[in-house]
């Protein structure tokens, strides 16, 4: 197939001017490309001798929509934005929804490109609530405020943000709207009193409610002095809180649990979490947040009320070798930061307190460092009893005497291995003692050098 050469080439004018006397066309809406696109279409339309296609102008942005509603020039609108994490944005949207619920017949809602988008805010107990995700809510004068205001939930270049809009001259009001929204959230925070996981996500910390398995003191066998220290730690924000405050003391406190792997440190933190959740919000911090987002973490938990922050295995950021790392400096800063605020209990664990940088152990960072010891004879007996069937005819005291130095995790494995080898009904003193003394329960090879 041959392509005939064009008879003549067409030269487009550099700029196109509307012919004198021609009616001013009604321009279609070209979004951000408005000016250039208008000119190109006008040029093409004129060449074809047709009218410029007409389309009613739809508002594309919240500010355009509001300018139309308020009958003001878009450039004179006042807007104040606040960047935040996605979690905080969702939570502010939750507060916004409460405002909407208070004025159900008054508000108007706008969503760019059609219906406003909604999303679910997970409440952690298996339920969630629907909140605006990308939307602008307009409260007319006399509803939320005497003056008309609007609140937008949106993303700018991927950053979650909340923006307050007012008609011209309302800067102070716009700022007040944002502050009031935060206050609404903090007055009745849906996450308060829950158990949250602090993970890293979207370039910052995201808090998500998690289901927490209830652990009680009877589930973990520890020396009585250790429980006394735990009680003293907790009392700083519970029974002794008012007394401390009345005397001008901070109620924040830090407790570091040190001990070999498997002695029950994590288990103990879960017992404390169970006891304090409700009056306090519990925040379980992942290793990644510990390394990278400590400053953001303490920002994020503001407004949650009294908190228990659990930092597991701080060796990864705070060992002697980490001095000079930014994460180490940030970690120390964050610990110091809690001291200037009230009602934050920081509970941390480490395997080796001697490996920690002395700066971490300085008084005022962790007020108390306690050693979680491996169980003694009585403790081992009690732990074996926890993990063996209650009616098994086993002299647990005797078995425990063969296991000097074993941790709670070791004892659990002795019990589990015995049950696996002999079945729950086949357990006897000699059989369990045999498992205990053989060392078969240890993960490392028992005998032989395989190299
Ligand atoms: N003192 C104890 N009383 C009862 N059970 C225990 C005790 N210590 C350990 N266990 C059992 O061993 C399991 C593992 O212990 P845990 O994870 O708490 O140890 P850890 O000290 O945190 O160890 P790591 O330093 O390796 O994190 C517990 O879930 C529990 O079943
Ligand atoms: Mg642990």
């Amino acid at each position: 197939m041959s392509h005939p050469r064009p008879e003549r080439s067409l030269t487009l004018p550099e700029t196109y001017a509307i012919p004198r006397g021609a009616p001013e066309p009604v321009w279609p809406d070209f979004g951000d490309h408005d000016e250039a696109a208008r000119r190109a279409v006008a040029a093409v339309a004129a060449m074809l001798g047709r009218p410029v296609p007409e389309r009613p102008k739809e508002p594309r942005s919240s500010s355009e929509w509001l300018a139309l509603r308020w009958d003001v020039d878009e450039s004179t609108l006042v807007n104040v934005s606040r960047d935040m994490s996605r979690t905080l944005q969702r939570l502010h949207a939750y507060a916004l929804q409460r405002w909407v619920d208070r004025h159900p017949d008054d508000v108007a809602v706008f969503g760019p490109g059609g219906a406003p988008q909604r999303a679910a805010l997970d409440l952690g107990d298996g339920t969630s609530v629907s909140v605006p995700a990308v939307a602008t809510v307009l409260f007319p004068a006399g509803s939320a405020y005497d003056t008309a205001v609007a609140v937008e939930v949106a993303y700018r270049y991927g950053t979650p943000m909340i923006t307050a809009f007012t008609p011209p001259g309302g800067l102070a009001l716009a700022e007040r709207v944002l502050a009031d929204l935060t206050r609404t959230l903090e007055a009745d925070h849906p996450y308060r009193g829950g158990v949250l996981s602090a993970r890293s996500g979207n370039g910052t910390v995201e808090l998500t409610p998690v289901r927490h398995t209830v652990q009680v003191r009877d589930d973990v066998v520890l020396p009585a002095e250790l429980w006394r220290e735990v009680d003293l730690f907790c009392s700083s924000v519970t029974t002794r809180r008012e007394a401390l405050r009345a005397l001008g003391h901070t109620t924040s406190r830090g407790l570091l649990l040190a001990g070999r792997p498997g002695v029950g440190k994590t288990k103990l933190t879960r017992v404390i979490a169970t006891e304090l959740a409700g009056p306090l919000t519990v925040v379980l911090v992942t290793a990644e947040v510990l390394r990278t987002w400590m400053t953001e973490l303490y920002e994020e938990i503001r407004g949650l009320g009294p908190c228990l922050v659990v930092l597991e295995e701080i060796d990864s950021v705070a060992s002697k070798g980490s001095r000079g790392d930014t994460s180490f400096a940030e970690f120390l800063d964050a610990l110091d930061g809690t001291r200037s605020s009230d009602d934050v209990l920081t509970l941390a664990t480490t395997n080796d307190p001697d490996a920690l940088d002395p700066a971490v152990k300085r008084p005022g960072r962790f007020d108390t460092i306690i050693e979680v010891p491996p169980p003694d004879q009585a403790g081992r007996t009690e732990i074996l009893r926890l993990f063996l069937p209650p009616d098994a005819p086993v002299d647990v005291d005797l078995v425990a005497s063969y296991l000097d130095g074993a941790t709670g995790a070791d004892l659990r494995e002795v019990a589990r291995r015995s049950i696996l080898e002999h079945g729950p009904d086949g357990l006897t003193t000699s059989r369990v003692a045999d498992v205990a003394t053989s060392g078969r329960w240890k993960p490392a090879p028992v005998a032989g050098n395989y190299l």
Side-chain angles (χ1 to χ4, degrees):
M1 195 176 168
S2 69
H3 295 276
R5 288 184 54 203
E7 301 269 279
R8 60 192 168 94
S9 61
L10 204 116
T11 324
L12 284 175
E14 284 282 303
T15 56
Y16 179 80
I18 298 162
R20 197 179 278 277
E24 174 77 21
V26 180
W27 300 109
D29 185 3
F30 295 111
D32 293 342
H33 309 289
D34 231 17
E35 195 47 39
R38 275 180 192 190
R39 298 216 162 266
V41 170
V44 172
M47 277 186 280
L48 298 175
R50 314 185 87 124
V52 177
E54 192 176 324
R55 180 153 64 89
K57 195 172 158 82
E58 295 278 347
R60 288 181 316 271
S61 65
S62 302
S63 52
E64 231 173 81
W65 178 67
L66 290 168
L68 278 177
R69 300 288 297 232
W70 287 336
D71 196 20
V72 295
D73 190 86
E74 194 185 330
S75 63
T76 63
L77 282 181
V78 173
N79 69 76
V80 179
S81 292
R82 208 167 282 163
D83 292 5
M84 43 185 84
S85 72
R86 211 171 61 107
T87 309
L88 260 188
Q89 189 206 37
R90 283 271 144 90
L91 289 165
H92 278 82
Y94 171 87
L96 179 61
Q97 183 61 45
R98 308 205 56 167
W99 287 12
V100 172
D101 295 341
R102 273 183 224 156
H103 306 279
D105 301 326
D106 298 333
V107 298
V109 188
F110 167 80
Q117 288 172 31
R118 299 188 69 83
L121 175 73
D122 182 8
L123 296 182
D125 53 359
T127 66
S128 59
V129 284
S130 164
V131 301
V134 180
T136 307
V137 183
L138 190 162
F139 299 90
S143 58
Y145 295 87
D146 293 341
T147 315
V149 300
V151 180
E152 179 194 55
V153 185
Y155 295 81
R156 192 180 299 151
Y157 303 117
T159 304
M161 56 177 50
I162 298 279
T163 305
F165 288 92
T166 68
L171 182 60
L173 177 61
E175 274 164 1
R176 201 176 116 208
V177 169
L178 287 183
D180 287 349
L181 197 64
T182 303
R183 216 166 292 134
T184 300
L185 169 65
E186 292 179 358
D188 185 15
H189 201 298
Y191 287 173
R192 182 166 310 140
V195 180
L196 307 173
S197 163
R199 304 196 179 100
S200 72
N202 301 308
T204 182
V205 183
E206 299 288 357
L207 296 177
T208 32
V210 287
R211 247 172 234 267
H212 173 65
T213 32
V214 170
Q215 308 270 331
V216 296
R217 293 198 182 200
D218 284 347
D219 295 336
V220 49
V221 178
L222 294 169
E225 321 82 80
L226 210 155
W227 287 119
R228 276 197 291 279
E229 281 298 335
V230 167
D231 284 336
L232 189 117
F233 169 68
C234 298
S235 70
S236 186
V237 289
T238 57
T239 51
R240 298 272 189 242
R241 178 167 180 266
E242 298 315 320
L244 286 174
R245 289 171 73 105
L247 292 166
H249 290 290
T250 168
T251 57
S252 291
R253 222 175 152 73
L255 171 65
L256 176 60
L257 301 171
R260 280 168 47 194
V263 290
K265 300 180 299 296
T266 297
K267 187 106 174 162
L268 174 58
T269 64
R270 297 306 186 261
V271 173
I272 301 174
T274 302
E275 290 184 354
L276 293 180
L280 270 73
T281 308
V282 176
V283 183
L284 307 173
V285 178
T286 59
E288 205 178 350
V289 171
L290 195 59
R291 275 193 302 275
T292 323
W293 305 111
M294 284 301 282
T295 314
E296 290 79 2
L297 172 71
Y298 283 99
E299 298 256 305
E300 203 80 356
I301 64 174
R302 261 193 293 148
L304 277 170
C307 282
L308 169 71
V309 179
V310 181
L311 309 174
E312 284 245 50
E313 296 176 22
I314 60 167
D315 322 50
S316 66
V317 276
S319 60
K320 282 176 185 147
S322 16
R323 186 166 278 231
D325 292 0
T326 34
S327 55
F328 179 66
E330 203 180 305
F331 178 74
L332 292 187
D333 275 353
L335 283 183
D336 292 343
T338 61
R339 315 320 298 229
S340 54
S341 61
D342 260 346
D343 295 338
V344 179
L345 292 182
T346 304
L347 178 61
T349 69
T350 174
N351 282 325
D352 184 3
D354 296 333
L356 293 180
D357 192 287
V360 179
K361 296 182 275 183
R362 208 195 65 194
R365 293 207 167 118
F366 289 101
D367 306 279
T368 316
I369 301 179
I370 35 179
E371 173 85 27
V372 182
D376 59 8
Q377 170 68 20
R380 291 197 298 275
T381 309
E382 216 179 314
I383 295 172
L384 278 175
R385 231 179 244 126
L386 275 180
F387 291 117
L388 286 169
D391 47 1
V394 176
D395 181 349
V396 279
D397 198 39
L398 180 69
V399 176
S401 69
Y402 299 139
L403 289 162
D404 191 19
T407 64
D410 295 338
L411 295 161
R412 181 180 65 173
E413 184 49 23
V414 169
R416 191 148 52 175
R417 175 132 195 147
S418 304
I419 295 165
L420 287 173
E421 284 187 14
H422 303 289
D425 302 324
L427 296 174
T428 61
T429 302
S430 63
R431 282 174 171 175
V432 179
D434 175 56
V435 172
T437 51
S438 71
R440 289 199 291 280
W441 50 272
K442 291 179 187 167
V446 178
N449 186 340
Y450 298 99
L451 291 178

